[in-house]
Structure formats: C-alpha cells, structure tokens
Amino acid sequence: MTNHSWLDRLTITIPAHNEADNIGGLVCRASQYGEVCVVDDGSTDRTAELAAAAGARVLRNPAGSQYGDGFIAGLQEAQSGPGIFMDAGGSHAPEDIPRLLAGLREADVVIGSRLVSGARQWQSRRRRLLTRIGIWLFAAVSLSTPMDYSGFRAFNATAVDWLR
C-alpha cells in the first residue's frame, strides 16, 4: 500500500452473486491494497464462505438483491475514508487499484474503464467480447459515444461520506 495515511482506511467493496469460482483469488489480490468487504447478494453457491475464508468481511443481502443493493450496503459499511468498488466477475483487475487512487489526487470520484489502453481484465474471452458488444450496442441505440460505465470506481473520503 502507498505511504499516504488516508489510504490506511481504504475499503474495497465487491458486490458478488454466485462468484465462488472467482471470489477467493479476487479477495486475496485486492486485500493487499486495503480492507475487502464482499457484499453477497443472495448467492446460492459458496461465495460468502470462500470470501470470508480469504479474509474479507462479508455482508449478506437477501436473495433477489441487485448489484446496486450491494453498492449501497458497501457504502453504509465503509469506514470513514476512500472507497473502491469493483465487480466480482473478473471485469476489473485489483492491480489497477493504484491507478484509480492516483486519480483521487485531482477528483472526488474516478471511474475505471475497460476500453482505455492498458486496461487489464481477467475475465474469459467470451465474457470480454460480450462486454464490448454490450457497450457498442448501448452506444448505437443511444446515439452516443461508446463509454464503459464500469463498476470499477474510486471515491475519496468526502465523496464516500456524501454518498452515505
């Protein structure tokens, strides 16, 4: 972790639903940057158990919860400090957390993108292709520039407190 004292309070929130195949490794990789909080959105597999075994604090949302519910639960539980939010499905590489945090020197919120040069993903080719197709289809239907409305986001302490 970087030498900035405000990063000592970094919380990395990962909403997850049936991500038993990914969650253990993701928690291990992300935990080198801060405290990891996995919000289990009603998984029917071992997601919550494996996240806890990997060292994450686990919150459980009821079955039928959505991604946004995990985001809200993570905000409510976040410490008073900066926060990272990322997907559990492999769209985001924890190794890019320092890149997001660097942006907080100039902004309150930084949103990652899977479209920028150098973006790392560890999802399957099929899932990566589907993500790109979805982005381009949304752009075509909305007559807008293709943008990645990624769940990989960083918020400084002020933004976390405001959102909470």
Side-chain angles (χ1 to χ4, degrees), residues 6-89:
W6 58 275
L7 290 180
D8 294 340
R9 299 182 317 269
L10 178 66
T11 300
I12 302 159
T13 301
I14 306 172
H17 179 76
N18 291 338
E19 293 290 352
D21 292 343
N22 301 325
I23 201 67
L26 180 62
V27 168
C28 289
R29 291 168 55 213
S31 64
Q32 67 180 311
Y33 302 102
E35 178 193 13
V36 177
C37 176
V38 172
V39 182
D40 181 56
D41 287 328
S43 295
T44 56
D45 64 5
R46 298 178 57 219
T47 296
E49 177 186 337
L50 294 171
R57 183 166 40 109
V58 177
L59 305 175
R60 293 179 186 254
N61 277 343
S65 295
Q66 303 295 316
Y67 181 83
D69 297 323
F71 182 82
I72 291 167
L75 272 175
Q76 291 171 340
E77 290 294 318
Q79 299 178 26
S80 180
I84 295 281
F85 292 85
M86 61 189 304
D87 294 340

Side-chain angles (χ1 to χ4, degrees), residues 133-147 149:
I133 289 171
I135 290 168
W136 287 96
L137 284 175
F138 180 79
V141 169
S142 65
L143 302 174
S144 64
T145 303
M147 296 189 77
Y149 297 99

